[in-house]
Amino acid sequence: MIDIRWKAALFICALSIVSVFLWLISGLLTGLVIFTLGLLCYLINHIYWIHQLNSWLKTPDLSEVPEGSGLWEDVYSSLLKYERKNTLKQTELNSALERFEIVANAIPDGLVILSAANTIEWCTSHAEYQLGLNLSTDKNLPIVNLLRSSHFIAYLYNEVYDEPFKLKNIRSMDSTLEISLIPLATKQKLLISRDVTQIEKVDAMRRDFIANVSHELRTPLTVVGGFIETLSDMEGAIPSSISSYFGMMQDQTTRMRRLIEDLLTLSHIESNTQAPDDNPINMSMLMNMLLNDANALSQGKHQISAQTNPHFDLSGAVDELQSALGNLVSNAIRYTPEGGEIKISWQLRDNQGIFSVTDNGIGIDQQHIHRLTERFYRVDRGRSRETGGTGLGLSIVKHLLTRHQAKLEITSELSVGSTFSAIFPKARMIQK
């Protein structure tokens, strides 16, 4: 196929040759007239086909592409190939989109794509049912206009999506949804809603069972412990040959009572759906209390220091946070050999409050770190019993921190030491 530019050049050359020939035969005027008329006809031809192209572009139809003539035959031929290729790609994209929507709607979880401004761009039928949406009418509307839960709005704008959010189903208040948000590269967000009603019911049954059993065991253990303590205090009531057995029974009874208390505490925290108190907490005072408790527990066996940023306080439930942070401190003392060093600090980092406990104790192997907050998980069961641990402390800490939108970070190196950090969001920071 001859290039369009060469075709145009050949026409101009042919017209020029004819005009020069007529000039030689009939004179200059005749040659110029013929040359001018030739260019005019050439221009009119281009204007005509440009008009045809413009008319076709208003309502493109592959079956009605003009055939063209001369240069325009090649133009329309290339245009026809381009349109066919685009139509094929469009068909493939539509087919891929249909397959994606079929697969997305087959997933039992609801999917919603939110824009950078948190408006609804697309959602599946499961999301419409679970969240009470209607894509045909709710598209481009802010999600907060439709999900009016204050806790969800706080979760959305807090922009910390490490943990999912529990939300009562819009359709049925007896069911529960688990909402997860995943930031996308385009500043959009993928919202995933999952019906966890059955899981919640099973968890509730488990919590009730543990609470009921713990309550039932508390009374007989108290009675048994009381009798053992009374007999141990009575002079001559226990023969010296078996007195050591009573000491062992007293230790095990105390351990069981401590375990039951932790089980009841954990069950109460898990079943408490109410938001924690939101009161100002004087962190300087709390740090002093934790330092005094740590020195009392250590009894001078460790070097304990505290560093506090006095310009920032925290909002939350002081009893819950004192229990959680105190647990981290007591763990550091229990698992740090005599003569070790323990540092307690409260600092501000990236607008987040960081409470950390650092020790140079036995450390933890990396393979155990991600499981430390599981119930009853122990790295060293024998050592845990020796130090009086129940295996529930860090699980309680995690739940208490989660109630305050905080998270627990653990870094450790075996035989070097560990750092346990409670990271609180900017929303809970109070500047003095």
Side-chain angles (χ1 to χ4, degrees):
M1 181 183 294
I2 302 176
D3 189 87
I4 291 177
R5 291 171 298 179
W6 285 108
K7 284 186 176 182
L10 287 174
F11 175 82
I12 298 297
C13 288
L15 182 61
S16 300
I17 292 171
V18 171
S19 299
V20 170
F21 181 74
L22 291 174
W23 175 22
L24 296 174
I25 295 175
S26 302
L28 177 61
L29 181 60
T30 303
L32 289 175
V33 170
I34 295 300
F35 186 77
T36 303
L37 289 175
L39 287 179
L40 183 60
C41 291
Y42 191 63
L43 179 60
I44 292 173
N45 180 68
H46 280 304
I47 292 174
Y48 171 77
W49 288 116
I50 289 174
H51 172 73
Q52 292 292 96
L53 176 62
N54 184 60
S55 300
W56 181 82
L57 288 174
K58 291 179 180 178
T59 54
D61 187 351
L62 287 179
S63 62
E64 297 180 1
V65 177
E67 294 184 2
S69 63
L71 301 179
W72 288 95
E73 183 179 1
D74 294 339
V75 172
Y76 284 120
S77 177
S78 299
L79 182 62
L80 181 60
K81 291 178 181 178
Y82 178 76
E83 279 298 308
R84 284 176 177 170
K85 186 183 294 185
N86 277 352
T87 301
L88 180 61
K89 287 184 178 180
Q90 186 67 38
T91 302
E92 292 175 351
L93 287 174
N94 289 337
S95 298
L97 182 59
E98 288 178 2
R99 289 195 299 270
F100 170 76
E101 290 189 347
I102 291 172
V103 172
N105 282 294
I107 297 174
D109 298 341
L111 305 177
V112 182
I113 294 180
L114 302 177
S115 69
N118 296 317
T119 60
I120 299 171
E121 293 188 348
W122 174 84
C123 68
T124 62
S125 56
H126 288 290
E128 288 183 316
Y129 176 77
Q130 292 174 351
L131 302 175
L133 305 178
N134 187 334
L135 186 59
S136 60
T137 58
D138 298 337
K139 189 174 182 179
N140 298 324
L141 290 180
I143 187 71
V144 294
N145 288 3
L146 305 167
L147 299 181
R148 296 180 177 273
S149 167
S150 58
H151 297 299
F152 170 74
I153 295 173
Y155 175 71
L156 176 65
Y157 288 113
N158 192 36
E159 296 185 353
V160 178
Y161 309 130
D162 297 333
E163 296 291 335
F165 169 78
K166 297 290 180 62
L167 177 70
K168 287 297 181 181
N169 194 326
I170 303 298
R171 301 281 183 178
S172 172
M173 295 304 292
D174 294 331
S175 58
T176 304
L177 298 176
E178 186 178 78
I179 305 295
S180 300
L181 282 171
I182 302 175
L184 303 178
T186 54
K187 294 187 178 181
Q188 296 172 305
K189 300 182 187 71
L190 174 63
L191 184 151
I192 304 174
S193 63
R194 176 173 298 172
D195 192 334
V196 293
T197 305
Q198 293 303 319
I199 297 175
E200 287 288 301
K201 289 181 178 179
V202 171
D203 282 345
M205 291 174 60
R206 175 184 55 79
R207 290 193 297 267
D208 291 343
F209 172 77
I210 292 175
N212 291 334
V213 170
S214 299
H215 276 296
E216 292 299 324
L217 289 175
R218 175 191 277 178
T219 300
L221 277 174
T222 301
V223 173
V224 171
F227 277 120
I228 292 175
E229 186 176 352
T230 301
L231 290 173
S232 299
D233 292 339
M234 293 175 60
E235 187 175 353
I238 303 174
S240 58
S241 59
I242 62 172
S243 60
S244 60
Y245 299 150
F246 274 77
M248 292 171 59
M249 287 190 290
Q250 183 66 45
D251 291 341
Q252 293 302 317
T253 302
T254 301
R255 176 173 170 270
M256 287 296 295
R257 290 169 64 181
R258 189 182 299 117
L259 176 61
I260 288 173
E261 292 299 329
D262 282 353
L263 282 171
L264 287 172
T265 299
L266 186 58
S267 177
H268 173 72
I269 294 172
E270 290 180 330
S271 60
N272 187 5
T273 58
Q274 298 295 324
D277 295 335
D278 198 13
N279 299 321
I281 300 174
N282 189 318
M283 288 304 295
S284 297
M285 185 180 299
L286 180 58
M287 291 290 289
N288 286 331
M289 293 174 60
L290 294 175
L291 181 60
N292 292 335
D293 292 343
N295 286 322
L297 182 61
S298 173
Q299 297 180 350
K301 297 177 182 178
H302 306 87
Q303 300 177 22
I304 305 174
S305 61
Q307 185 179 5
T308 306
N309 186 330
H311 304 296
F312 291 90
D313 284 340
L314 192 62
S315 65
V318 62
D319 293 338
E320 293 184 7
L321 292 180
Q322 182 178 355
S323 173
L325 304 183
N327 190 289
L328 297 180
V329 175
S330 63
N331 280 349
I333 294 172
R334 288 192 178 98
Y335 293 100
T336 301
E338 186 173 345
E341 184 178 1
I342 298 169
K343 298 179 181 179
I344 309 170
S345 72
W346 166 251
Q347 300 296 332
L348 186 71
R349 186 180 69 199
D350 298 330
N351 293 322
Q352 294 180 316
I354 312 294
F355 173 87
S356 61
V357 182
T358 303
D359 64 65
N360 60 352
I362 61 176
I364 306 165
D365 199 339
Q366 292 297 315
Q367 63 177 330
H368 299 293
I369 288 180
H370 71 284
R371 298 192 60 188
L372 289 179
T373 56
E374 294 180 9
R375 298 176 183 85
F376 301 111
Y377 185 82
R378 296 183 177 94
V379 176
D380 186 341
R381 294 182 179 274
R383 182 175 178 85
S384 181
R385 291 191 180 95
E386 291 174 6
T387 57
T390 63
L392 293 172
L394 288 180
S395 182
I396 293 173
V397 170
K398 179 184 177 182
H399 281 81
L400 289 175
L401 292 181
T402 300
R403 279 173 49 80
H404 289 79
Q405 297 84 46
K407 61 181 179 179
L408 179 65
E409 280 190 0
I410 305 171
T411 57
S412 184
E413 187 176 348
L414 198 61
S415 302
V416 175
S418 307
T419 298
F420 288 74
S421 301
I423 303 177
F424 295 89
K426 177 183 178 181
R428 289 198 170 271
M429 302 300 296
I430 302 175
Q431 186 173 5
K432 293 184 179 179

